[in-house]
Amino acid sequence: MDRWARRWLRERKIPSTACVGCGLGQVHKKVLMAVEQLKLGVGDVVWGTGIGCAGRQTFNTWKGDNFAGTHGRVYAIATGLRTALPDDKKIILTVGDGDAFGIGLSHLLHCARRNLGVAVIVADNFGYQSTGGQYGFTTPLGCVTDSSPYGTREQGWLQNDIDILTLLKDAGATFLARHSSFEGQNAVDSVVKAIDNRGFSLVHFIYPCVTHFGAISLGSRDKEAVYRWFERLFQDGGDPRFRSGVYHDARGSRPEFAASLREWTERVSKENSTTTGKRFD
Amino acid sequence: MKRLFDTGNAAITEGAVMAGCRLFSGYPITPATEIAENMSRRMPQVGGYYIQAEDETASFHICIGGALGGLKAMTATSGPGYVLFSDPYGWAIGSEVPVVVVNSQRVGPVSGITGAPGQGEFYLSRYPTHGGNFETIVLAPAGVQEAFSMTVEAFYLAERFRTPVTLLADQIVTDGLESFDLPENEEELRAMGLRVIPGKAHAGPCFYPATSEIDIPPVRLGRNTGGACSDWTPTEEGYDTEEVEAQVKHAYRLTRKVLDHRDLIDRYEGTCLEDDPDVVLVSYGSPSRVMASAVKKARSLGLKVGGIRLKSLWPFQDRLFARRAVYLTVELNLDGQLVREVQRAAGGSAVHFIGRCGELPTAAELVEAVIGLSEGCFPAPKLWERWAW
Ligand code: SF4
């Protein structure tokens, strides 16, 4: 393990248990690079994850404080945690596409609506891969997966005129970006902005899963072939939904949820202080 | 000491405030909505936070997040919301997070009648989540004063055992108006036999010792202690693991920490048990108040009858049913839940059941049943005869 990784990660969790050739490590690394660029210390960040490949491979890798929620619930846990922690403590959530855009979508939208101060990093592998390769909410139309043997036919969050990032923007998110996992500094810059934002940020990373999506939907487990397919998605002049970069930047435009709740609570408690509120401990 | 005339919901609110609750997250549902409304008024007054969640699952998870950050937290609901707590319950039990959960039971199944009482979550409160390998702590108030005191106690037990503690009330208790005493200083609180302990943070490094020890402060996040918690089977350092041995240790801890400290949890109230009565009525919550009247009336008729009111439901107090007698459980349901547990605990004793759906039985009905049982036959002239055990 190199010195750089040792600074941020628990030795016990290196190397990651992700499959050889998986793009998840690239996503994870970009988050760490952003943390470093922001000159944050281990103690400045609480790292939350969910379930699935993205959750399991990033839980407790971070040297500092960690938590992992059941599928889709990490946003609600983060809402309580954000309320309890001081403003300068960063909360980063690394989750999968099923977690964020499926089972946890309601919680996620409500975090955006409240402008909760968390940076959500969605590591999207186009389906449920840790359970063997079923289609998800961003799986391209027509893809053969374990649960769509004749090809997916359901409208997803990234097809036709629908883009999940537009939905999140309308819900009130204050920073949104999309990248592929194999991009460089421009992707790190987006994560820097996301973590730095005092409000709800989400960076949507699309990364190659060689084991399931590659093998079943693309017909190849060969890393190079799979990566080339993903690269083509993000090519200039291609599908506009797979444009790299910042999609929405309204940082600072709305008050952060927990900070404003704290301010308001302080005001109300001053104006309405009662003796019966006393706590005896 | 203040004397107030108010609802069980108000008493629960004041109990929580006094116990140090500073985060309430809930989702409106009759008959627990009033707790949320009261909390939305009271929390900011005392520097605490009220967050109306997008659903019940979120409300409990928000409480978990707050507790991980160091706030004492509570949520409240009724049956249809309680079943949605299944997911966060497991998380809080597994990661040993102290949260207080109030369930004002209404008649079911499903939405049932919003304004009628029920006792349908007796077993659900024992097994509120999947997977087994855990014990729960459940308290059951029978009136407004007790709604206050048990709320304070629920926070106390949650902190000491670092686990969610459930207050299993019913609509009559939470909506009912009664006068109750509200302590105004620590001495008065102590005089009521109540204690409040501060929430503490665990500094690590061991998170899940495979012992039954209590008073180990829970994991807190955001203090740079390397704290870690998740829904996966944890190692002692908080790592997720697939090792069965770690799961065995975890299960040992989650069950034994509760079972080895029953003296702190077990609570009941016995009426007229001194002369080894022939018939013993058993209940909890609102029906126990009818039961008390019935025992008194039956005694005045010369019948050797007694009553056991369970104030803590889980872990179940088996030892109370060691005495040979004819037992009769009185419940706000028709399927008989408490009766099954009493039957298991009572061994060879006969156990009968009177259930009512959505309303209380009358004392006269209970007396009639006691007369029958004393004479060796369970009369069961009404609907419940089909459920005679
Ligand atoms: S299954 Fe796919 S996404 Fe999961 S670790 Fe393996 S390659 Fe990565």
Side-chain angles (χ1 to χ4, degrees):
Chain A
M1 187 180 19
D2 61 28
R3 272 187 35 234
W4 184 82
R6 207 176 307 210
R7 181 159 0 131
W8 303 110
L9 304 180
R10 298 185 184 216
E11 296 191 21
R12 173 87 178 269
K13 286 282 192 164
I14 304 292
S16 145
T17 48
C19 311
V20 176
C22 177
L24 191 57
Q26 296 173 323
V27 180
H28 201 184
K29 186 162 183 181
K30 285 188 181 62
V31 182
L32 298 175
M33 287 167 80
V35 167
E36 179 159 277
Q37 203 167 308
L38 284 162
K39 296 197 168 39
L40 295 170
V42 165
D44 296 326
V45 176
V46 177
W47 194 301
T49 63
I51 276 177
C53 290
R56 198 68 190 258
Q57 319 301 352
T58 52
F59 172 63
N60 227 347
T61 51
W62 176 245
K63 240 185 193 170
D65 296 358
N66 285 269
F67 68 101
T70 51
H71 213 194
R73 311 301 175 212
V74 69
Y75 323 101
I77 296 176
T79 305
L81 190 61
R82 179 77 279 168
T83 305
L85 295 185
D87 279 351
D88 55 357
K89 201 67 77 175
K90 301 287 182 189
I91 299 179
I92 300 175
L93 310 175
T94 45
V95 296
D97 47 299
D99 193 285
F101 303 152
I103 190 167
L105 184 61
S106 163
H107 305 306
L108 190 74
L109 290 173
H110 287 283
C111 284
R113 172 180 63 81
R114 294 182 176 117
N115 198 26
L116 189 81
V118 293
V120 181
I121 310 297
V122 181
D124 185 349
N125 51 16
F126 284 164
Y128 291 91
Q129 313 304 353
S130 79
T131 44
Q134 297 77 34
Y135 69 91
F137 308 94
T138 51
T139 313
L141 268 178
C143 271
V144 171
T145 71
D146 273 3
S147 59
S148 57
Y150 311 113
T152 53
R153 52 177 303 279
E154 229 183 88
Q155 171 70 52
W157 285 129
L158 259 181
Q159 281 140 25
N160 302 322
D161 289 333
I162 295 177
D163 186 339
I164 185 72
L165 293 191
T166 311
L167 192 71
L168 285 159
K169 174 175 175 270
D170 290 346
T174 42
F175 183 81
L176 296 164
R178 176 172 289 140
H179 293 277
S180 70
S181 63
F182 33 85
E183 281 168 50
Q185 187 57 37
N186 65 327
V188 177
D189 288 345
S190 287
V191 182
V192 165
K193 285 176 186 152
I195 298 172
D196 205 32
N197 180 24
R198 282 188 79 204
F200 181 85
S201 304
L202 184 141
V203 183
H204 185 193
F205 273 104
I206 288 163
Y207 78 94
C209 160
V210 286
T211 304
H212 295 296
F213 188 80
I216 303 163
S217 302
L218 303 182
S220 171
R221 205 178 285 245
D222 173 61
K223 195 183 162 198
E224 244 186 79
V226 175
Y227 270 64
R228 264 201 306 277
W229 186 89
F230 274 89
E231 238 164 15
R232 278 200 296 276
L233 273 184
F234 281 85
Q235 253 160 21
D236 280 351
D239 190 327
R241 274 174 299 271
F242 293 96
R243 174 176 62 80
S244 279
V246 175
Y247 276 55
H248 176 59
D249 189 350
R251 285 173 290 163
S253 63
R254 296 173 57 212
E256 193 280 318
F257 169 76
S260 69
L261 180 65
R262 262 195 294 277
E263 257 170 51
W264 177 82
T265 297
E266 211 171 297
R267 217 174 53 232
V268 175
S269 68
K270 266 192 204 126
E271 288 164 10
N272 300 274
S273 70
T274 62
T275 47
T276 44
K278 197 174 167 355
R279 186 176 76 192
F280 309 122
D281 60 14
Chain B
M1 193 78 76
K2 252 195 205 167
R3 188 113 177 117
L4 300 175
F5 182 67
D6 216 324
T7 61
N9 286 326
I12 288 168
T13 306
E14 293 311 316
V17 166
M18 211 155 275
C21 176
R22 291 300 178 266
L23 173 66
F24 180 91
S25 183
Y27 185 85
I29 181 167
T30 307
T33 310
E34 204 181 74
I35 300 176
E37 289 174 350
N38 290 342
M39 282 303 220
S40 73
R41 183 171 43 84
R42 294 292 280 128
M43 278 293 99
Q45 284 180 356
V46 296
Y49 309 107
Y50 170 83
I51 299 177
Q52 197 154 297
E54 53 269 27
D55 58 35
E56 282 88 351
T57 312
S59 70
F60 197 152
H61 275 108
I62 289 171
C63 288
I64 287 173
L68 288 173
L71 296 172
K72 287 192 189 176
M74 181 172 95
T75 184
T77 190
S78 185
Y82 191 67
V83 62
L84 297 175
F85 281 175
S86 182
D87 180 346
Y89 247 118
W91 207 94
I93 290 169
S95 289
E96 303 193 53
V97 181
V99 173
V100 171
V101 180
V102 182
N103 178 0
S104 174
Q105 298 175 95
R106 70 193 210 195
V107 65
V110 212
S111 290
I113 299 168
T114 56
Q119 287 185 329
E121 284 96 76
F122 176 74
Y123 279 116
L124 197 58
S125 70
R126 167 63 185 89
Y127 291 109
T129 191
H130 65 281
N133 298 313
F134 60 84
E135 286 284 337
T136 50
I137 301 175
V138 180
L139 307 178
V144 173
Q145 184 72 60
E146 222 168 48
F148 168 80
S149 58
M150 281 189 183
T151 305
V152 179
E153 282 183 85
F155 276 95
Y156 174 81
L157 293 173
E159 288 296 329
R160 293 200 67 181
F161 286 84
R162 55 182 221 174
T163 193
V165 172
T166 307
L167 197 70
L168 196 65
D170 61 63
Q171 181 263 341
I172 297 175
V173 170
T174 55
D175 278 356
L177 279 157
E178 284 182 307
S179 49
F180 73 104
D181 291 327
L182 184 67
E184 285 186 287
N185 55 48
E186 198 171 352
E187 244 165 56
E188 289 176 356
L189 189 83
R190 272 184 216 276
M192 288 174 99
L194 299 174
R195 297 148 295 188
V196 171
I197 51 173
K200 290 186 193 131
H202 190 245
C206 76
F207 296 86
Y208 294 86
T211 68
S212 66
E213 262 174 76
I214 56 167
D215 297 322
I216 304 169
V219 172
R220 297 276 191 244
L221 299 179
R223 299 176 189 210
N224 197 20
T225 57
C229 45
S230 76
D231 41 298
W232 290 300
T233 295
T235 64
E236 287 185 14
E237 297 82 28
Y239 289 106
D240 53 314
T241 179
E242 296 280 323
E243 296 294 326
V244 169
E245 196 188 323
Q247 184 57 46
V248 173
K249 284 183 178 176
H250 189 44
Y252 177 88
R253 161 126 191 93
L254 297 183
T255 50
R256 294 319 308 181
K257 74 171 175 182
V258 174
L259 295 178
D260 290 356
H261 301 276
R262 305 270 315 242
D263 52 315
L264 293 169
I265 304 166
D266 290 356
R267 292 163 173 76
Y268 78 101
E269 189 178 83
T271 318
C272 305
L273 294 176
E274 301 74 24
D275 58 352
D276 274 336
D278 306 324
V279 179
V280 176
L281 273 55
V282 190
S283 66
Y284 72 93
S286 295
S288 61
R289 304 186 52 164
V290 183
M291 182 186 83
S293 310
V295 170
K296 222 166 127 191
K297 176 73 186 159
R299 278 274 167 179
S300 74
L301 297 175
L303 295 161
K304 249 180 107 182
V305 58
I308 293 175
R309 173 167 85 87
L310 297 173
K311 295 165 78 172
S312 65
L313 300 180
W314 303 108
F316 199 71
Q317 300 174 77
D318 285 19
R319 64 189 168 86
L320 298 179
F321 307 97
R323 168 194 299 121
R324 278 256 164 191
V326 173
Y327 291 98
L328 174 67
T329 72
V330 185
E331 304 179 49
L332 279 172
N333 59 60
L334 282 187
D335 55 318
Q337 301 198 0
L338 176 60
V339 62
R340 296 163 198 256
E341 210 55 25
V342 172
Q343 195 175 44
R344 182 191 56 74
S349 292
V351 182
H352 297 270
F353 161 64
I354 283 188
R356 274 280 173 270
C357 179
E359 59 183 359
L360 290 172
T362 64
E365 280 172 320
L366 299 188
V367 172
E368 197 185 337
V370 170
I371 293 170
L373 288 172
S374 309
E375 290 167 356
C377 72
F378 188 43
K382 300 223 170 58
L383 185 65
W384 34 263
E385 67 187 331
R386 278 178 279 146
W387 285 274
W389 284 65

